[in-house]
Amino acid sequence: MRAAVRDDVAAGKNEGRVCTRFPPEPNGYLHIGHAKAICLNFGIAAEFSGRCNLRFDDTNPAKEDVEYVESIQEDVRWLGFDWDDRLYYASDYFERMYACALELIRMEKAYVDSLTAEEIRAYRGTLTEPGKASPYRDRSVEENLDLFERMRAGEFDDGAHVLRARIDMSSPNLNMRDPTIYRIRRVRHHRTGGEWCIYPMYDFAHSLSDSFEGITHSICTLEFEDHRPLYDWFQETLGLPSRSQQIEFARLNLSYTVMSKRKLLQLVREGLVGGWDDPRMPTLCGLRRRGYTPASVRNFCERIGVGKRDGVVDVALLEHTLREDLNARAPRVMAVLRPLRLIIDNYPADKVEMFPAVNNPEDPSAGTREVAFSRELLIEREDFMEDPPKKFFRLAPGRTVRLRYACLVTCTGVVKDERGEVVEVHCRYHPRGEAEDLPRARATLHWVSAPHSLPAEVRLYDRLFLVENPGDEKEGKDFKTHLNPGSLEILDGCRLEASLGAARPGDGFQFERLGYFCMDPDSRPGAMVFNRTVALRDAWAKIVRKTSA
RNA sequence: UGGGGCGUCGUCAAGCGGUAAGACACAGGUCUUUGGCACCUGCAUUCGGAGGUUCGAAUCCUCCCGCCCCAGCCA
């Protein structure tokens, strides 16, 4: 891909100029598949010191809406790209396109067809049989001009006539069998209002728009490969001064998720997720709410490469670029998701100490903060086991562990409720001097001081689907049958260290030893909500998995 | 049985006639006040298959096999 562009530049094509465009249709939210296209178009332009335009392909008013043109701009900006003042709309070119259509009619390269949609389909032929000419194919230029002008004037109902390019009804490429280029749609357009009642089709509009904008490289996905001859035909036949090279690439597929607009829309419509920005969605707004950083998405797009092979990229790679970025910049903090009371018997009840804690070991400039320590602490329930297996080296009766940034403690006993459940762990701490003589603690636990901690709700997310390729609906299996019932787990009663009281929605942190979390916009004063962006890699979980398997 | 594409490690992906990069995943190990991070090691005698050309082929030729896309007045 880059090589092709490089060759064109080297060959002096377009005077070495490079101009690309990202052309979304404003009929849905952008997802990570679009991010690949965005990074490609803006990336190539930047690499060859060219320009990349943002152009809305708004030629089908029945499906489009301003809601989408706004969200799309927000998402592209969030990803970190800038189109300066080059924000365009295909609808801005309607008048010029109409003039081009008139021109095609005069050249006898287009005609008004009055067949019904069904008839046109029947006349088109099949994959193996050629199509046959419409009885209206040889209308005179005058009649075509008259009819087409009256189409624009609004004299006909939807579907009464269409304008077709006059190419070759027996072409083995179905796209060349006199494709429709204008249809009547008496629908208000979100930008042109009631000005038009005929709208151009994609192939015509896209080819012309690219030429009008001086696009040198028109990057699109594989399914348009068959359209390239038609794309070229419009520019050549009309003798447009600016020609562009269409280059195709394979769209992105991610394991354990779906990417088609139709399926994503279905998830939203049927309430299977909370909305377009549900943190489990692969939409850019969903990823943003989940806590993904723009850099992590960009790096991901960089690493997957670009080719014409359609495959499925492992989400593990996305998670890797995410952790890589978050590890470098997320402030560390201590939070306990499933609290277990830990009492330090030899620590005075009214004493409170402040210990300095490192904000980010990967970034010394992030500094330190103070965390409160007291007799009553809360630790993670899964960090204590009454009867630990061999490789478990966290807290257990008689065991000594380190409390991060604080001290060494040894478990002296437990308190159980009537059901035999451990509800309290008792320990003895080792003051400096004594601690040095102890054998090295094999584990370090995170904790919070019970009286100083803050309550919060934490939402744990997992992959939305249970199978690698849920979109593959062969054998009639609906993709929704693969939904993961455990993709969202809500934890209440979590306790956070006091410094989190200053967090704001969108802020991301590493909850030490647990994962990366970010504050959700659902948070209210006194009722914080955090989303788990991604868990830390977990060697212990791997051991558990292996020994139980 | 028409046309257009694509087949290199579990997953992406370099390679463009000179003897298989890299990343993720995976497996071991070192380090460690995060069982995180970092670091080290291992991981395709082989490039969908079979022939052929060549001193030499993943790269060129032939045939075969497999997968994807196209019959919207959607994009």
Side-chain angles (χ1 to χ4, degrees):
Chain A
M1 174 76 94
R2 290 170 199 280
V5 177
R6 200 180 310 120
D7 291 348
D8 286 347
V9 173
K13 206 167 163 186
N14 306 299
E15 300 84 46
R17 190 174 51 87
V18 170
C19 189
T20 58
R21 98 272 91 116
F22 173 57
E25 181 187 16
N27 70 343
Y29 283 80
L30 259 29
H31 53 63
I32 190 157
H34 293 110
K36 179 180 181 183
I38 294 167
C39 291
L40 241 184
N41 279 295
F42 280 91
I44 285 195
E47 187 174 333
F48 298 95
S49 35
R51 296 261 180 266
C52 179
N53 301 343
L54 173 60
R55 179 175 72 231
F56 286 100
D57 222 329
D58 55 350
T59 57
N60 185 359
K63 292 187 173 176
E64 298 150 7
D65 195 277
V66 285
E67 172 195 358
Y68 300 119
V69 343
E70 278 153 20
S71 75
I72 288 170
Q73 293 186 60
E74 185 184 351
D75 289 345
V76 176
R77 243 182 251 117
W78 174 75
L79 246 196
F81 296 101
D82 186 10
W83 53 90
D84 293 315
D85 57 347
R86 299 179 315 282
L87 171 61
Y88 303 123
Y89 294 82
S91 54
D92 290 340
Y93 312 133
F94 281 174
E95 197 62 56
R96 289 173 79 181
M97 291 178 187
Y98 178 76
C100 286
L102 253 22
E103 181 63 19
L104 286 178
I105 292 173
R106 287 191 205 99
M107 290 189 286
E108 299 190 318
K109 294 293 189 186
Y111 62 97
V112 172
D113 197 349
S114 307
L115 253 26
T116 65
E118 298 70 48
E119 289 168 330
I120 287 180
R121 191 183 317 130
Y123 275 69
R124 187 158 28 227
T126 68
L127 293 180
T128 50
E129 307 155 25
K132 57 183 181 188
S134 160
Y136 303 101
R137 198 171 197 256
D138 293 313
R139 288 218 252 229
S140 68
V141 170
E142 292 66 36
E143 187 181 6
N144 281 320
L145 249 18
D146 174 61
L147 250 17
F148 189 51
E149 278 159 8
R150 287 164 60 196
M151 279 168 66
R152 174 182 185 172
E155 288 187 29
F156 308 111
D157 292 332
D158 283 13
H161 308 281
V162 293
L163 184 69
R164 291 229 256 167
R166 198 164 185 275
I167 307 179
D168 177 7
M169 285 309 289
S170 60
S171 170
N173 181 345
L174 299 251
N175 296 118
M176 300 301 271
R177 319 242 263 227
D178 290 12
T180 299
I181 58 180
Y182 265 96
R183 77 291 214 187
I184 300 171
R185 273 260 193 297
R186 308 167 134 310
V187 175
R188 254 192 103 67
H189 186 281
H190 58 98
R191 294 198 83 238
T192 60
E195 196 184 333
W196 294 85
C197 62
I198 55 172
Y199 293 95
M201 298 283 289
Y202 166 83
D203 290 298
F204 183 70
H206 205 84
S207 179
L208 300 203
S209 301
D210 280 349
S211 180
F212 294 161
E213 292 177 18
I215 300 302
T216 57
H217 301 273
S218 185
I219 297 165
C220 63
T221 44
L222 255 28
E223 68 270 29
F224 293 105
E225 214 147 17
D226 286 338
H227 295 240
R228 194 169 55 215
L230 182 53
Y231 179 92
D232 292 337
W233 188 89
F234 287 122
Q235 295 191 357
E236 276 162 24
T237 306
L238 285 163
L240 299 180
S242 174
R243 305 288 172 82
S244 21
Q245 175 64 49
Q246 176 177 305
I247 304 176
E248 306 83 11
F249 72 96
R251 59 162 13 109
L252 169 69
N253 292 304
L254 251 195
S255 58
Y256 300 100
T257 192
V258 293
M259 213 69 95
S260 90
K261 278 186 187 176
R262 197 199 104 235
K263 293 192 174 84
L264 294 176
L265 179 64
Q266 212 175 329
L267 292 173
V268 173
R269 287 257 168 87
E270 297 178 20
L272 272 6
V273 294
W276 287 103
D277 68 343
D278 185 295
R280 291 166 293 182
M281 293 281 273
T283 48
L284 295 184
C285 53
L287 295 175
R288 186 190 312 142
R289 185 166 178 186
R290 173 80 168 253
Y292 274 76
T293 57
S296 69
V297 176
R298 274 187 257 116
N299 290 152
F300 170 73
C301 292
E302 197 68 39
R303 304 241 197 137
I304 55 177
V306 187
K308 298 184 74 165
R309 240 185 295 177
D310 53 312
V312 181
V313 176
D314 194 340
V315 267
L317 181 57
L318 213 211
E319 292 176 345
H320 173 262
T321 60
L322 210 213
R323 290 194 185 100
E324 181 177 55
D325 189 42
L326 257 12
N327 176 53
R329 46 171 146 223
R332 271 60 169 177
V333 102
M334 292 198 284
V336 177
L337 265 28
R338 298 175 177 88
L340 172 62
R341 187 170 294 275
L342 181 147
I343 312 291
I344 302 174
D345 296 312
N346 61 338
Y347 197 84
D350 54 357
K351 189 174 174 184
V352 175
E353 277 179 274
M354 298 302 288
F355 292 116
V358 174
N359 287 329
N360 187 344
E362 307 292 323
D363 176 15
S365 73
T368 60
R369 67 186 186 285
E370 304 261 280
V371 292
F373 179 87
S374 67
R375 175 186 161 90
E376 254 186 57
L377 307 179
L378 263 14
I379 62 168
E380 208 64 59
R381 186 138 226 134
E382 62 171 29
D383 282 340
F384 175 83
M385 275 188 125
E386 205 179 3
D387 185 22
K390 310 130 276 302
K391 287 181 176 167
F392 181 91
F393 39 83
R394 272 112 96 149
L395 201 59
R399 224 25 119 58
T400 300
V401 299
R402 183 183 298 282
L403 292 179
R404 178 133 238 223
Y405 299 126
C407 57
L408 257 26
V409 295
T410 300
C411 177
T412 54
V414 300
V415 173
K416 296 182 184 179
D417 62 11
E418 55 286 352
R419 298 203 316 278
E421 194 89 21
V422 174
V423 294
E424 211 170 273
V425 175
H426 281 73
C427 288
R428 200 170 69 76
Y429 87 97
H430 304 278
R432 264 178 260 289
E434 174 186 328
E436 280 65 39
D437 304 328
L438 264 32
R440 188 174 78 91
R442 297 209 59 193
T444 298
L445 270 40
H446 62 276
W447 52 275
V448 295
S449 165
H452 300 89
S453 66
L454 271 18
E457 170 184 318
V458 173
R459 300 172 182 169
L460 265 23
Y461 297 102
D462 197 358
R463 43 185 60 143
L464 233 198
F465 294 93
L466 295 167
V467 300
E468 232 177 273
N469 199 349
D472 182 12
E473 292 180 309
K474 278 188 187 131
E475 284 121 51
K477 264 177 282 177
D478 186 283
F479 76 102
K480 287 176 292 180
T481 61
H482 302 302
L483 276 167
N484 176 7
S487 62
L488 169 60
E489 183 181 358
I490 298 177
L491 259 29
D492 224 322
C494 307
R495 307 294 302 193
L496 319 176
E497 72 167 61
S499 74
L500 249 5
R504 304 166 49 117
D507 288 351
F509 303 88
Q510 183 195 103
F511 287 1
E512 292 214 41
R513 302 209 304 132
L514 297 174
Y516 297 97
F517 295 76
C518 75
M519 193 185 233
D520 191 85
D522 281 351
S523 296
R524 293 290 169 269
M528 293 188 279
V529 177
F530 280 84
N531 296 320
R532 182 173 68 191
T533 306
V534 65
L536 248 28
R537 291 189 64 188
D538 189 346
W540 169 241
K542 200 171 283 184
I543 291 169
V544 172
R545 220 183 307 134
K546 256 194 305 196
T547 49
S548 69

